[in-house]
Amino acid sequence: MPVTFGSVGDIISVSILVKDLVDALNESKGSKKQYEDVVRELWLLDRALLEVDLTSRTHANTPQLSAVCETARQAVEDCRVVVKGFTDKIKQYGKSFSAGISGPRHTVGRATKKIQWQICQKDEVSRFRAQISAHALTMTMLLSTATAKLEEISHDKLEAKCLEDKLVQTQQCNAIEALQRKLQETNRLIGMGNVFLASVKDRLRIEWLEKLGKDLKGIMQRVTHTNVLTYNTVIAIQQSLAVRFPATLNEEPFLLEDAIGRIAPFPLKLVCSWDAFQSILEARFRKLQGAEKIRNKEYVLQDQATGKDIDMSSTWGRAFLPGQHLFG
């Protein structure tokens, strides 16, 4: 069953509530300055909700994120309760937050409701802003946790694949060694047979030699059969090695050491485009020094072995090699 950060419909409904509340506050005539900070916090919350939605749809089948999923689901529900509660409160004063109908009586009515809002709900705006800020921070922390968990899962999969390839390589090497021992034993037996034939050739009578010749013919037929089987086995192993070893080399990641000394592997089969590479760099530098330069692509990649810069205008497949070590 897919693992999600709560229902996508729930996230979208909360996002719609946030946008409706922002519209209501932006339509305020006399209170726009007062609610600027609240509107800013609401936009931050809306952005965090959309990132949660994107993460949910992108990694819907990742069971390792179940704990983060449950926490995020509850956080989304808490956001819905807080935003809806504040929206319901300001609906009581809705006419004072719009241009409305002109006229002295209506103008006095709107002014009265604004005074009631400021007196009766004096601390409500500050409390609501603090709640929204806390929820936005919670969403950001959950997204960071999910990103770190996904990196850990990718690293574990890569290590498991490397171990599997090493095991297969070891098994194949052992099989080749066993085959070599069998070939050596076969050659030894043939040599012993040749020595034996040479020693009895001049001592035996022709009749006995004829019988011996038939026996030796049978032995040589069996030896030939064994050699044919051995040859077929060698060919099969060579074909297996030709298929698996290139795949192992292609799957070896290149390493990137960034400006703050962190080293990370980039599997060429998982990271297969410049856009994917750019997205991973932005995620790794989020809220760190240099994040703006990463977003603006103001960086270079240098090959540790040659000291030359990587041509970032070339195609992805031509830019990197398995096992390459880069500085960035």
Side-chain angles (χ1 to χ4, degrees):
M1 181 177 180
V3 177
T4 63
F5 288 89
S7 169
V8 175
D10 291 342
I11 296 175
I12 294 175
S13 67
V14 176
S15 182
I16 292 174
L17 282 175
V18 169
K19 288 180 173 60
D20 290 343
L21 181 54
V22 168
D23 291 340
L25 294 176
N26 284 335
E27 290 174 0
S28 168
K29 272 189 173 182
S31 303
K32 180 172 290 188
K33 184 176 180 180
Q34 179 182 359
Y35 294 119
E36 283 180 352
D37 291 338
V38 177
V39 170
R40 184 165 51 253
E41 297 294 344
L42 286 169
W43 281 127
L44 291 175
L45 176 62
D46 183 63
R47 179 178 178 181
L49 287 169
L50 293 177
E51 289 184 2
V52 167
D53 175 47
L54 177 61
T55 303
S56 171
R57 289 183 283 104
T58 304
H59 304 286
N61 297 313
T62 306
Q64 291 88 339
L65 297 180
S66 57
V68 179
C69 157
E70 179 59 26
T71 305
R73 187 198 63 77
Q74 185 59 49
V76 170
E77 177 61 21
D78 293 342
C79 287
R80 188 192 66 78
V81 172
V82 171
V83 174
K84 188 176 185 305
F86 189 78
T87 303
D88 291 342
K89 287 180 181 179
I90 68 171
K91 280 182 179 179
Q92 301 174 16
Y93 308 91
K95 293 181 179 180
S96 67
F97 288 96
S98 60
I101 305 173
S102 61
R105 185 175 63 181
H106 295 287
T107 301
V108 172
R110 288 196 300 272
T112 301
K113 287 195 174 184
K114 284 187 178 181
I115 293 173
Q116 290 175 350
W117 171 258
Q118 293 174 356
I119 295 177
C120 299
Q121 306 293 338
K122 184 176 181 180
D123 298 329
E124 197 66 33
V125 174
S126 296
R127 185 183 302 109
F128 177 69
R129 180 190 170 193
Q131 289 174 330
I132 291 302
S133 178
H135 284 305
L137 179 60
T138 298
M139 293 294 180
T140 302
M141 292 176 64
L142 287 172
L143 288 169
S144 298
T145 301
T147 300
K149 190 65 177 177
L150 290 170
E151 288 184 357
E152 180 182 348
I153 292 170
S154 178
H155 182 266
D156 290 344
K157 288 182 178 178
L158 181 61
E159 284 190 344
K161 182 62 178 174
C162 290
L163 289 175
E164 179 184 351
D165 290 341
K166 287 181 179 179
L167 178 60
V168 171
Q169 184 177 359
T170 301
Q171 291 174 345
Q172 291 175 342
C173 289
N174 292 338
I176 291 175
E177 290 177 358
L179 183 58
Q180 289 176 342
R181 289 193 295 269
K182 289 182 179 180
L183 288 173
Q184 291 172 356
E185 180 64 18
T186 300
N187 291 333
R188 187 184 68 84
L189 292 174
I190 292 174
M192 290 176 61
N194 291 335
V195 172
F196 175 73
L197 288 174
S199 65
V200 300
K201 180 179 180 180
D202 296 330
R203 291 186 244 171
L204 298 176
R205 294 176 300 180
I206 295 179
E207 300 85 45
W208 191 83
L209 283 174
E210 290 177 352
K211 182 178 181 300
L212 182 60
K214 294 179 180 179
D215 294 336
L216 290 176
K217 182 179 179 181
I219 293 173
M220 293 306 296
Q221 287 177 344
R222 290 194 293 272
V223 170
T224 301
H225 180 68
T226 301
N227 286 338
V228 171
L229 292 177
T230 301
Y231 174 80
N232 291 336
T233 303
V234 171
I235 294 299
I237 291 177
Q238 288 178 343
Q239 291 175 347
S240 174
L241 292 176
V243 170
R244 292 198 60 85
F245 285 169
T248 301
L249 293 175
N250 288 337
E251 290 175 358
E252 184 179 355
F254 69 86
L255 301 178
L256 174 63
E257 183 175 348
D258 59 28
I260 57 179
R262 300 178 302 174
I263 299 177
F266 287 79
L268 291 174
K269 282 199 172 182
L270 299 179
V271 183
C272 55
S273 67
W274 283 109
D275 291 339
F277 178 74
Q278 179 68 20
S279 298
I280 293 175
L281 286 184
E282 291 179 4
R284 287 176 59 80
F285 275 85
R286 185 173 296 158
K287 295 187 178 180
L288 294 178
Q289 184 178 1
E292 186 67 22
K293 289 185 177 293
I294 293 297
R295 283 194 296 270
N296 296 333
K297 297 184 179 180
E298 298 176 357
Y299 59 87
V300 295
L301 301 174
Q302 187 181 78
D303 190 334
Q304 181 190 39
T306 64
K308 294 182 179 179
D309 293 344
I310 299 298
D311 183 7
M312 299 177 65
S313 64
S314 65
T315 61
W316 177 261
R318 291 177 171 270
F320 303 101
L321 294 174
Q324 192 173 20
H325 193 156
L326 306 176
F327 292 120

